Amino acid sequence: MLELKNIVKIYQGGTVNETCLFDGFSLSIPENQFVCVVGSNGSGKTSLLNIICGSVPIDEGQILVGGENITRMPEHRRHERIGRVYQDPARGTCPSMTILENMSMADNKGKPFNLLPCVNRKKTEEYRAMLAQLGLGLEDKMGVRVGNLSGGQRQAMALLMSTMTPIEFLILDEHTAALDPKTAEIIMQLTGRIVAQKKLTTIMVTHNLRYAVEYGDRVLMMHQGKTVFDRAGEEKRGVTTETLLGLFNEISVECGN
Amino acid sequence: MSLLLSVLEQGLIYAILALGVYITFKILDFPDMTVDSSFPLGAAVTALMIQGGLSPLLTLPASLLAGAVAGALTGVIHVRFHVRDLLAGIIVMTGLYSVNLHVAGRANVQLFSFDTLFKNAFVSALPAAVQPYAPVLILALIVLAVKLLMDAYLATRSGFLLRATGDNETLVATLAKDAGRVKILGLSLANALVALSGCIMCQYQRYFDISMGTGTLVLAVASVIVGTQLLRGMRFLRATTAVVLGSILYKGCVALALSLGLSPFDLKLVTAALLLIIIIAGGHSRRRGKRHA
């Protein structure tokens, strides 16, 4: 169970440009739920993820995981149970290291980074099998530097790497937005498979309304730091892209766009 | 022949320095000015110990340790107190100048009458024919050991994390590791090697001079770039090997320029110009940090 309680987040506080994004925002996500978050730019989707992961500090409120208060826990400590994939494929991998080296490093998450060798040759076959299921031909490029791969290939690797070790939460920040439609589809299917297999509590921010409808068991729409639409379980199944699109238009009209 | 030997000897001593700077400059992408003072710090510690009659061998771990502390200090100032990388190095470099004077006791210390790594009972016992080559052999052994240890380290889990920190700090955070701590460790390792190089240089020239660190970073960066850029075509070479060769090559160029009649007055000017040309030709003029973003 992940709980956000009365979160207050002010950007550029104390200046004339002070903007209050969240003012008493609360959200709770039960275990194993796959939540899709949609909303226009600036609605607070990415800020929400950054607050959960500890990438940005909050001004007031509490963040609880399974009842434990993690509000003051630094970002890297929170990642002990969080896997995260970013919109920019370059952020999830090391460009100057090879595929095998990247996979080996990700596999070591949660264990000490000590003076033992990082690459374990015995595991190469295991990694190869994991890469083969992507269908991108990466299994034959174990010695290639990741910087030489395409965005889609890197993003597929980032997704694999972030979910290799036991984690509880998967945070996806528009992770298909920088990809071509076909690659995005492959990455989305892989995401669905991994989440189901590993039973991860997942929060996915997306601009693709179809993905928000097809995947997950809860959909949230955010607007100006508030949840304006929230459907889960049975109710979520009735939600269509038209519902979401209609809601988007309604909001835009209200805002005078 | 003696010119060739002295090029090799000095090139090898500076190779250790260049290997250290390779960690900060190339792997961590950190312009570390601490180097200009951690190099003489190693020398000052050495001068103090040798004058005190301690074994020259003991100066090696002592200077490594002193350099590691200096590097860690820069790291802590940068990481924990959010002082910009260049400035953090300059602050420690400036402060260390006084520390070096205190450690050595004077601005100049001569060690001509003491035993060193290169002048001791063991070396005197060698056959006369080998003696002229003793320094170069000893140095080659030390450099080889440092290079192999560094290669081994860079293949460990800790070494992987170091490489990842220079490459992509976001990934380090998602691996649940503190990139700041890795940076402090990297700076510590780098300056340990720099101080070791200073220690050996002090024993080689048999004197300590407070100003011996001036321009160390530029010299080291030049060696690193010569190594990694000029030898880029030779794929079979490891980066660490390329850096060692780069250092020797660079020393060779300087020696050649001097023997062709270049005035020692112009040495720094030529060094700076040469480095600039290499950097522009090698496309290093922009910081590479955001290259892959």
Side-chain angles (χ1 to χ4, degrees):
Chain A
M1 180 78 125
L2 171 72
E3 288 169 284
L4 301 180
K5 284 186 176 169
N6 301 316
I7 303 290
V8 176
K9 175 67 197 168
I10 298 164
Y11 282 105
Q12 293 178 298
T15 71
V16 279
N17 295 323
E18 180 177 299
T19 44
C20 179
L21 178 59
F22 292 118
D23 187 9
F25 179 85
S26 294
L27 176 70
S28 75
I29 298 172
E31 234 169 274
N32 301 339
Q33 196 170 53
F34 184 162
V35 189
C36 300
V37 183
V38 295
S40 50
N41 292 320
S43 60
K45 307 181 302 293
T46 299
S47 288
L48 173 68
L49 300 187
N50 284 337
I51 284 170
I52 294 171
C53 293
S55 320
V56 299
I58 53 173
D59 296 285
E60 274 174 53
Q62 279 189 325
I63 308 163
L64 306 172
V65 172
E68 185 197 348
N69 191 340
I70 62 159
T71 317
R72 301 249 162 268
M73 194 186 269
E75 183 181 14
H76 68 273
R77 288 278 324 281
R78 293 192 203 183
H79 278 96
E80 283 165 13
R81 42 189 161 191
I82 297 178
R84 186 171 184 181
V85 185
Y86 294 86
Q87 179 180 356
D88 179 358
R91 295 182 78 177
T93 47
C94 261
S96 75
M97 292 162 82
T98 65
I99 294 184
L100 178 62
E101 287 174 331
N102 268 281
M103 299 285 280
S104 306
M105 188 163 61
D107 199 13
N108 198 51
K109 177 174 173 175
K111 291 179 220 139
F113 278 83
N114 51 25
L115 294 179
L116 292 173
C118 197
V119 175
N120 181 351
R121 295 277 160 200
K122 282 181 208 148
K123 285 211 155 183
T124 311
E125 282 313 309
E126 200 180 305
Y127 300 150
R128 214 185 284 270
M130 288 172 78
L131 291 165
Q133 58 162 342
L134 300 175
L136 295 172
L138 291 176
E139 65 276 14
D140 301 323
K141 297 184 181 169
M142 297 298 273
V144 172
R145 284 181 186 212
V146 172
N148 296 334
L149 302 181
S150 72
Q153 290 172 323
R154 282 204 232 179
Q155 199 66 325
M157 277 198 62
L159 184 59
L160 270 190
M161 284 167 62
S162 61
T163 52
M164 265 172 112
T165 49
I167 46 168
E168 293 166 43
F169 299 96
L170 181 60
I171 304 289
L172 305 166
D173 187 0
E174 294 182 41
H175 71 309
T176 59
L179 310 175
D180 69 70
K182 189 165 165 280
T183 314
E185 201 65 47
I186 295 174
I187 298 289
M188 241 357 269
Q189 284 167 5
L190 178 68
T191 307
R193 247 193 349 257
I194 290 176
V195 170
Q197 244 171 39
K198 308 210 167 202
K199 299 195 172 51
L200 301 170
T201 309
T202 305
I203 307 173
M204 175 174 82
V205 163
T206 180
H207 278 302
N208 188 319
L209 300 181
R210 189 168 61 77
Y211 291 157
V213 169
E214 280 176 23
Y215 291 88
D217 32 32
R218 182 174 175 186
V219 59
L220 281 184
M221 185 181 283
M222 308 242 333
H223 181 64
Q224 293 179 345
K226 288 186 184 65
T227 315
V228 290
F229 183 79
D230 185 353
R231 295 285 183 278
E234 266 318 305
E235 282 185 70
K236 195 258 174 184
R237 246 159 266 166
V239 177
T240 62
T241 49
E242 283 74 32
T243 333
L244 294 176
L245 204 56
L247 215 57
F248 255 119
N249 287 333
E250 231 171 85
I251 291 166
S252 293
V253 171
E254 272 172 34
C255 293
N257 292 338
Chain B
M1 190 61 202
S2 78
L3 180 72
L4 187 68
L5 262 187
S6 87
V7 163
L8 264 179
E9 287 162 4
Q10 293 186 31
L12 284 169
I13 297 174
Y14 285 126
I16 302 169
L17 164 77
L19 283 172
V21 170
Y22 173 76
I23 295 177
T24 41
F25 183 75
K26 270 286 184 184
I27 299 182
L28 283 180
D29 195 22
F30 190 109
D32 179 25
M33 288 298 297
T34 322
V35 168
D36 274 30
S37 268
S38 56
F39 183 76
L41 174 66
V45 168
T46 306
L48 178 74
M49 289 175 72
I50 287 191
Q51 276 182 311
L54 291 167
S55 155
L57 281 177
L58 278 180
T59 62
L60 302 178
S63 55
L64 275 171
L65 191 69
V69 171
L73 205 60
T74 302
V76 169
I77 292 174
H78 170 61
V79 172
R80 299 285 173 243
F81 300 102
H82 309 286
V83 176
R84 228 191 289 171
D85 46 11
L86 199 58
L87 208 51
I90 290 174
I91 289 170
V92 174
M93 175 189 88
T94 308
L96 274 183
Y97 188 89
S98 296
V99 173
N100 290 344
L101 277 173
H102 275 294
V103 171
R106 264 170 296 144
N108 290 286
V109 180
Q110 299 198 337
L111 302 169
F112 292 106
S113 54
F114 298 95
D115 271 9
T116 66
L117 279 177
F118 308 103
K119 179 193 148 230
N120 50 46
F122 174 73
V123 173
S124 326
L126 291 172
V130 185
Q131 290 228 4
Y133 306 104
V136 88
L137 290 175
I138 294 168
L139 286 168
L141 217 63
I142 298 174
V143 170
L144 189 69
V146 170
K147 186 204 113 66
L148 290 179
L149 275 174
M150 200 159 134
D151 285 342
Y153 173 70
L154 289 176
T156 66
R157 295 170 184 183
S158 173
F160 267 49
L161 210 55
L162 185 73
R163 290 158 67 189
T165 303
D167 235 9
N168 184 356
E169 272 187 51
T170 311
L171 179 66
V172 176
T174 38
L175 289 173
K177 284 287 155 188
D178 185 358
R181 281 179 67 172
V182 184
K183 273 191 193 175
I184 295 173
L185 176 73
L187 281 161
S188 205
L189 282 176
N191 281 288
L193 290 181
V194 171
L196 178 67
S197 171
C199 156
I200 293 170
M201 184 47 111
C202 174
Q203 302 193 47
Y204 174 79
Q205 61 186 19
R206 282 191 270 164
Y207 66 83
F208 162 82
D209 182 86
I210 188 67
S211 66
M212 69 190 280
T214 313
T216 308
L217 179 65
V218 172
L219 187 115
V221 166
S223 302
V224 170
I225 294 179
V226 167
T228 51
Q229 289 298 124
L230 292 189
L231 305 174
R232 180 168 46 176
M234 299 184 216
R235 287 259 152 175
F236 58 92
L237 281 183
R238 267 179 197 266
T240 46
T241 315
V243 168
V244 171
L245 292 179
S247 169
I248 297 169
L249 214 60
Y250 179 75
K251 259 289 150 214
C253 291
V254 173
L256 193 69
L258 284 173
S259 71
L260 288 178
L262 176 79
S263 154
F265 273 31
D266 298 328
L267 190 57
K268 293 274 183 207
L269 188 62
V270 173
T271 304
L274 204 67
L275 180 60
L276 185 65
I277 292 167
I278 298 168
I279 289 177
I280 293 172
H284 260 269
S285 33
R286 252 168 272 122
R287 281 190 68 172
R288 68 186 179 103
K290 293 283 170 273
R291 182 193 55 185
H292 52 259

